Amino acid sequence: MTDSLGDWRRTHYSKRISPELSGEKVTVMGWIHEIRDLGGIIFVLLRDRDGLIQITAPSKKITKELLEEIRKLRRESVIAVKGTVQDSSKAPGGFEIIPAEVKLLNESKLPLPLDTTEKVHAEIDTRLDSRYVDLRRASVSAIFKIKSRMLHSVRSFFEEGEFIEINTPKLGASATEGGTELFPITYFEREAFLSQSPQLYKQMMMASGLDKVYEIAQIFRAEEHDTLRHLNEAISIDAEASFCNHEDMMNVLEGLVRTAIKNVREQCEDELKILGVDLEVPEAPFERVDYDDVVDIVNSKGVNMKYGEDLSRAAEKAIGEKMDDYYFITGWPTDIKPFYVMPDSENPGKSCAFDLMYKDLEISSGAQRLHIHDILVERIKKQGLNPASFERYLAAFEYGMPPHAGWGLGAERFTMCITGAKNVRETVLFPRDRRRLTP
Amino acid sequence: MTDSLGDWRRTHYSKRISPELSGEKVTVMGWIHEIRDLGGIIFVLLRDRDGLIQITAPSKKITKELLEEIRKLRRESVIAVKGTVQDSSKAPGGFEIIPAEVKLLNESKLPLPLDTTEKVHAEIDTRLDSRYVDLRRASVSAIFKIKSRMLHSVRSFFEEGEFIEINTPKLGASATEGGTELFPITYFEREAFLSQSPQLYKQMMMASGLDKVYEIAQIFRAEEHDTLRHLNEAISIDAEASFCNHEDMMNVLEGLVRTAIKNVREQCEDELKILGVDLEVPEAPFERVDYDDVVDIVNSKGVNMKYGEDLSRAAEKAIGEKMDDYYFITGWPTDIKPFYVMPDSENPGKSCAFDLMYKDLEISSGAQRLHIHDILVERIKKQGLNPASFERYLAAFEYGMPPHAGWGLGAERFTMCITGAKNVRETVLFPRDRRRLTP
């Protein structure tokens, strides 16, 4: 039998209790991380979101009934404890709690699907199958606390920059960028597709006069990739602004990256420590390396790359070795970038597109966009696509489309950069990939 | 031929210019809202995100070439103007700009698909087909500026309350709540579904120890409804917290609603004025009306409603007439609420579920949840569902699930409450409904 919560409420998270509170009555709640029964004294390590609290139950100080009640408790059961704080140099945080009353709120089945104390290694698949238990490990929840902080910092950065948040549709009648990597859906009696990017919608918003917009939302890509860097469902941080060029938007991106890292560094000290990450705010400006130089560097490292090719995985690794952590690749050939990218007016074979890299990982792509209707139609045709498929998008360019530029930043890849995670799945609560659709 | 932006950048949005800047050189950019050519003097009303700026071009003060350049401009073309601010009691904002240089950044085709000056009425379908032009109307963009401000206020409220942002998957192998109102998708060689709610995932997160979580993301509902209140794709504001009950989470919801309204009231004064909305922060606590009393009130208004029925549209209208703007309906019969809702321990026929209403509109549903595995399995069976379909969800209840409660709030419906919009489509950039999948 379990107890109901009744009118008990937590008074303190673990991190809010310190030896200075000695003598105070508190109510704490959480999971039994460990329990040690030494007969005349029982130690319960209670775990909450922020850490551990030692509950010390000595037979001399508590009733026999309470001692027996505590003795019956098992690992990972959920309890609430009312008691008195007492300083204790041996306990975590320098304090312990002498219990006065305990409630058993729910029991845990044993054994657990995986160990919560991080003493036993678990494979990623086992962990993802029981993500709710996996997240009880401090090194796992730390990643998601950092991701949450990063996302909030990013939004605050946009708000301070007077960007307006938009929500673009994830269901559409047609392919976004004409690609084949789309998930088809049945929309009542019609076929529809899941959005692979808010690209065309955020551009249409530039014609609306909203001027500067951002969106942080799911994107869906039916790519067959099965790597440590790809997901079929991810969160994209998208920005688009009018009356500016790609250089301006590179500066915005650089500012956003630095601000988010600064905030995580300041506000997630405990989590970074748990992960063993010594996070530095990268210096501005990030280095800019031209695509032509990238080709030279990659070849000089013994990796074959022809001018006009996209970066292979080997090429990414080669350039990553040479550069600082964060750097831009600019001057991409127009032909390997999407149709909406503005060619360089002085040298139309090159474009106003950029990628932001972190070591060997591409984390963002952006560009100044073509804003002149007729030139855009020409580019669509030149890329072998049919302008008729882009009718609604193209119409927005006919009624006063301002010059504009923007980018998309992968939230999970950026989380990898900050947390040091090597597998993108570590940065998603419930990853969706080629093989995984559950839980 | 159009001009390129070059090194021109906007120095001021319209709202940042005032007569006090008289004599200063500024660069402004936007769309030509109106143009009046009186021969010796031309007035151009330039529109940017925040309002209108009068560009006054008198032949006496500017070159003949510039005057001719300005004379050629057409409505809704995109221009940039460098000039000098001059006070003028007759112009909007009490100032005008005497141009020194003008760039034509892009031209607009005429006639427009709809009028941007709000003098001519346009049907909602015409407007949605050309949303990028529709949004140039101040009364339309005001709604999305308010929605953006509301969403940011909501997130800040959650952050201050130490909620952690989570991102749950929108693609899944099985139905979320066992309902039939799901969009099927083809996930490689498998069938999958779009998420109709993060409900089961946010509950699983309670077992993880993240303690208090929120998510603001798309939900997808394959409902056949074609009303002014339903969408097939919407934004849901979801919250879930452990070690608390439904009363606590009603207080959180009440605080969130009041905070968001307070922020919109303070920070969107111009937008509210444009919409003619006199926004008041509703007083706390919101009234709580028991379902039993709702049945009586509805019947007393001549609308037939039996005990145990959900609210019909007519019943919503009847109760909405009687109550204050914001109120909770509590004490719902257990049988008409989802399986995960906690029955009232004193009276199990009634539940710990609540709806938040605004007049006759349901904007949020929430409840204390069942957290005991075996009771939950019983409820699933009793509702005619198969526990095996909820295997992964139920597993989370076996390894230490704390008591928890939560709710979901419809972002668009809440935006309707704040802006006075009568059709939910007014609050979505690109609505998706039974008939509409484009643009």
Side-chain angles (χ1 to χ4, degrees):
Chain A
M1 272 303 288
T2 58
D3 301 309
S4 77
L5 185 65
D7 61 359
W8 286 34
R9 291 295 178 274
R10 175 193 281 129
T11 59
H12 295 77
Y13 279 115
S14 57
K15 72 173 170 191
R16 302 271 157 75
I17 308 181
S18 62
E20 287 77 56
L21 290 187
S22 205
E24 274 202 39
K25 288 194 164 49
V26 296
T27 306
V28 294
M29 303 192 180
W31 287 257
I32 297 178
H33 192 64
E34 281 182 7
I35 183 160
R36 271 191 308 146
D37 186 347
L38 307 183
I41 188 164
I42 306 173
F43 297 100
V44 176
L45 267 185
L46 180 77
R47 189 189 61 244
D48 68 12
R49 180 162 88 179
D50 297 325
L52 299 170
I53 302 171
Q54 182 172 299
I55 313 293
T56 302
S59 57
K60 284 179 200 163
K61 289 193 185 174
I62 66 170
T63 66
K64 204 176 161 184
E65 291 71 29
L66 184 55
L67 193 73
E68 289 314 308
E69 211 181 304
I70 293 172
R71 180 159 284 140
K72 282 188 214 138
L73 297 175
R74 293 291 166 262
R75 276 187 59 209
E76 296 303 327
S77 285
V78 184
I79 61 168
V81 178
K82 285 193 181 196
T84 308
V85 179
Q86 184 168 291
D87 55 29
S88 159
S89 57
K90 289 177 207 154
F95 69 90
E96 60 190 2
I97 289 171
I98 311 297
E101 282 181 86
V102 172
K103 281 192 178 191
L104 172 61
L105 297 174
N106 212 344
E107 287 185 291
S108 175
K109 213 164 81 169
L110 293 173
L112 293 160
L114 60 131
D115 177 48
T116 54
T117 60
E118 313 211 37
K119 287 170 191 154
V120 185
H121 174 77
E123 293 299 327
I124 182 90
D125 274 322
T126 308
R127 293 174 44 208
L128 293 177
D129 282 343
S130 300
R131 196 53 142 163
Y132 42 92
V133 176
D134 185 43
L135 281 157
R136 296 181 192 175
R137 315 199 306 169
S139 65
V140 178
S141 64
I143 293 173
F144 294 96
K145 290 174 187 170
I146 289 172
K147 189 181 184 186
S148 170
R149 176 59 39 211
M150 177 275 285
L151 287 173
H152 195 67
S153 302
V154 164
R155 288 202 185 86
S156 297
F157 178 87
F158 280 130
E159 295 288 324
E160 273 168 39
E162 300 191 271
F163 281 72
I164 290 178
E165 178 174 0
I166 58 169
N167 311 107
T168 66
K170 303 310 159 203
L171 305 180
S174 54
T176 323
E177 300 181 17
T180 50
E181 291 159 346
L182 294 167
F183 289 116
I185 104 158
T186 308
Y187 192 81
F188 302 108
E189 61 289 346
R190 284 182 278 180
E191 185 181 58
F193 299 96
L194 284 178
S195 172
Q196 65 179 183
S197 151
Q199 179 65 32
L200 307 191
Y201 288 102
K202 62 181 183 164
Q203 286 194 260
M204 285 159 83
M205 284 303 96
M206 295 300 97
S208 76
L210 289 185
D211 214 70
K212 300 202 273 185
V213 301
Y214 76 97
E215 178 170 23
I216 301 180
Q218 253 88 4
I219 55 170
F220 306 93
R221 300 201 168 166
E223 293 171 345
E224 298 265 353
H225 295 298
D226 193 2
T227 77
L228 299 180
R229 307 178 315 284
H230 290 90
L231 292 165
N232 295 110
E233 175 177 346
I235 303 288
S236 181
I237 300 169
D238 273 275
E240 200 76 24
S242 295
F243 303 107
C244 67
N245 68 14
H246 58 297
E247 297 275 355
D248 299 306
M249 286 307 281
M250 285 164 76
N251 291 338
V252 169
L253 178 54
E254 190 175 278
L256 176 143
V257 165
R258 297 182 73 236
T259 302
I261 291 175
K262 185 167 173 286
N263 286 343
V264 168
R265 186 183 148 90
E266 287 169 4
Q267 295 166 36
C268 300
E269 264 187 83
D270 291 347
E271 289 75 17
L272 291 168
K273 204 170 160 189
I274 288 166
L275 296 173
V277 171
D278 183 17
L279 192 65
E280 296 279 353
V281 180
E283 273 181 44
F286 298 165
E287 204 175 335
R288 270 83 165 149
V289 53
D290 191 273
Y291 173 88
D292 295 20
D293 297 324
V294 170
V295 175
D296 290 346
I297 293 165
V298 167
N299 281 293
S300 78
K301 296 263 176 190
V303 176
N304 194 270
M305 179 179 175
K306 291 199 182 68
Y307 186 92
E309 283 178 357
D310 205 346
L311 290 180
S312 65
R313 185 70 194 125
E316 284 178 342
K317 285 187 174 167
I319 185 75
E321 273 173 33
K322 169 84 180 174
M323 304 296 296
D324 281 344
D325 283 1
Y326 291 92
Y327 58 99
F328 285 107
I329 301 179
T330 58
W332 288 87
T334 303
D335 287 343
I336 57 169
K337 284 289 174 184
F339 62 80
Y340 47 75
V341 162
M342 173 88 84
D344 186 332
S345 58
E346 317 255 293
N347 177 7
K350 302 253 277 175
S351 72
C352 300
F354 58 86
D355 281 4
L356 177 62
M357 306 288 293
Y358 174 78
K359 297 178 178 170
D360 62 4
L361 189 67
E362 177 206 320
I363 62 170
S364 174
S365 273
Q368 185 169 353
R369 323 296 189 183
L370 274 171
H371 63 282
I372 305 292
H373 177 269
D374 295 356
I375 303 175
L376 185 58
V377 171
E378 281 316 303
R379 285 287 319 154
I380 289 176
K381 286 186 194 160
K382 207 168 169 200
Q383 295 220 348
L385 299 166
N386 182 1
S389 322
F390 299 94
E391 188 192 347
R392 299 279 189 178
Y393 165 72
L394 286 169
F397 291 76
E398 295 198 287
Y399 298 100
M401 176 65 91
H404 60 283
W407 45 256
L409 168 68
E412 284 79 16
R413 288 191 173 188
F414 187 34
T415 306
M416 290 172 80
C417 307
I418 297 175
T419 61
K422 299 289 174 229
N423 183 343
V424 70
R425 289 163 190 77
E426 298 278 1
T427 68
V428 185
L429 290 173
F430 299 96
R432 294 294 180 250
D433 61 28
R434 190 70 188 79
R435 293 166 300 117
R436 182 172 283 278
L437 253 176
T438 52
Chain B
M1 272 303 287
T2 58
D3 301 309
S4 78
L5 185 66
D7 61 359
W8 285 35
R9 292 294 177 275
R10 174 193 282 128
T11 58
H12 295 75
Y13 279 115
S14 56
K15 70 173 171 192
R16 301 272 157 73
I17 308 181
S18 61
E20 288 76 56
L21 290 186
S22 204
E24 274 202 38
K25 287 193 165 50
V26 295
T27 306
V28 293
M29 303 193 180
W31 287 258
I32 297 178
H33 192 64
E34 282 182 5
I35 185 160
R36 270 190 307 146
D37 186 347
L38 306 182
I41 188 163
I42 306 174
F43 296 100
V44 175
L45 267 185
L46 180 77
R47 189 189 60 245
D48 67 12
R49 180 162 88 179
D50 298 323
L52 299 170
I53 302 171
Q54 182 172 300
I55 314 293
T56 303
S59 57
K60 285 178 199 161
K61 290 192 184 174
I62 67 170
T63 65
K64 201 174 163 187
E65 291 71 29
L66 184 56
L67 192 74
E68 288 314 308
E69 214 181 303
I70 293 171
R71 180 160 285 140
K72 281 187 216 138
L73 297 175
R74 292 291 166 264
R75 277 187 58 209
E76 296 304 325
S77 286
V78 184
I79 61 169
V81 179
K82 286 194 181 196
T84 307
V85 178
Q86 184 168 293
D87 54 29
S88 158
S89 57
K90 289 178 209 154
F95 68 89
E96 59 191 1
I97 290 171
I98 310 297
E101 283 181 85
V102 172
K103 281 191 178 193
L104 172 62
L105 297 173
N106 213 344
E107 287 185 291
S108 176
K109 214 164 81 170
L110 293 173
L112 293 159
L114 60 131
D115 177 48
T116 55
T117 59
E118 312 209 37
K119 285 171 194 156
V120 185
H121 173 78
E123 293 299 328
I124 183 90
D125 274 323
T126 307
R127 293 175 44 209
L128 294 176
D129 282 344
S130 299
R131 196 54 142 163
Y132 43 91
V133 176
D134 185 43
L135 280 156
R136 296 180 192 175
R137 314 199 308 168
S139 65
V140 178
S141 65
I143 292 173
F144 295 97
K145 290 173 187 169
I146 289 172
K147 188 181 185 186
S148 171
R149 175 59 40 208
M150 178 275 286
L151 287 173
H152 196 65
S153 303
V154 163
R155 288 202 186 85
S156 297
F157 178 87
F158 280 131
E159 295 287 323
E160 273 169 39
E162 300 190 270
F163 281 72
I164 290 178
E165 178 174 359
I166 58 169
N167 310 107
T168 66
K170 304 310 160 204
L171 304 180
S174 53
T176 322
E177 300 180 18
T180 50
E181 290 158 346
L182 294 165
F183 289 116
I185 104 158
T186 307
Y187 192 81
F188 301 109
E189 60 288 347
R190 283 182 279 179
E191 184 180 57
F193 298 96
L194 285 178
S195 170
Q196 63 178 184
S197 151
Q199 179 65 31
L200 307 191
Y201 288 101
K202 63 181 182 164
Q203 286 195 260
M204 287 159 83
M205 284 304 95
M206 296 301 96
S208 76
L210 287 185
D211 214 69
K212 300 200 273 184
V213 301
Y214 76 97
E215 178 170 22
I216 301 180
Q218 253 88 4
I219 55 168
F220 306 93
R221 300 200 169 167
E223 293 171 345
E224 299 266 353
H225 295 298
D226 193 3
T227 76
L228 298 180
R229 306 179 313 286
H230 290 90
L231 291 165
N232 295 109
E233 175 178 346
I235 303 289
S236 181
I237 301 169
D238 272 275
E240 200 77 22
S242 295
F243 302 107
C244 67
N245 68 13
H246 58 297
E247 297 275 355
D248 299 306
M249 286 306 280
M250 284 164 77
N251 291 339
V252 169
L253 179 54
E254 190 176 277
L256 176 143
V257 164
R258 296 182 73 235
T259 302
I261 291 175
K262 185 167 172 286
N263 286 343
V264 167
R265 186 184 146 91
E266 287 169 5
Q267 295 166 37
C268 300
E269 265 187 84
D270 291 348
E271 288 76 17
L272 290 169
K273 205 170 160 189
I274 288 166
L275 296 173
V277 172
D278 183 17
L279 193 63
E280 296 279 352
V281 180
E283 273 181 44
F286 297 166
E287 202 175 338
R288 271 82 165 149
V289 53
D290 190 274
Y291 174 86
D292 295 19
D293 297 325
V294 170
V295 175
D296 289 346
I297 293 166
V298 167
N299 280 293
S300 77
K301 295 261 177 193
V303 176
N304 195 270
M305 179 180 176
K306 292 202 182 64
Y307 185 90
E309 283 178 357
D310 206 345
L311 291 180
S312 65
R313 185 71 194 124
E316 283 177 344
K317 285 187 175 167
I319 185 74
E321 273 173 33
K322 168 84 179 175
M323 304 295 297
D324 281 344
D325 283 2
Y326 290 93
Y327 60 98
F328 285 107
I329 300 179
T330 58
W332 288 86
T334 302
D335 287 342
I336 57 170
K337 283 290 174 183
F339 63 79
Y340 45 76
V341 162
M342 172 88 83
D344 186 332
S345 58
E346 317 256 292
N347 178 6
K350 303 250 283 171
S351 72
C352 300
F354 58 86
D355 280 5
L356 178 61
M357 307 287 294
Y358 174 78
K359 296 178 178 170
D360 61 4
L361 189 67
E362 176 205 321
I363 63 170
S364 173
S365 273
Q368 185 169 352
R369 322 298 189 182
L370 273 170
H371 63 283
I372 305 294
H373 178 268
D374 295 355
I375 302 176
L376 185 57
V377 171
E378 282 315 304
R379 285 287 317 154
I380 289 176
K381 286 185 195 160
K382 208 170 168 198
Q383 295 220 348
L385 299 166
N386 182 1
S389 322
F390 299 94
E391 190 192 346
R392 300 278 189 178
Y393 165 72
L394 286 170
F397 291 76
E398 295 198 287
Y399 298 101
M401 175 65 89
H404 59 285
W407 44 256
L409 168 68
E412 284 78 16
R413 287 191 175 189
F414 187 33
T415 306
M416 290 172 79
C417 307
I418 298 175
T419 60
K422 300 288 175 228
N423 184 342
V424 70
R425 289 162 189 78
E426 298 278 0
T427 68
V428 185
L429 290 172
F430 299 96
R432 295 295 179 251
D433 62 28
R434 190 71 189 80
R435 293 167 299 116
R436 182 173 282 276
L437 254 175
T438 51

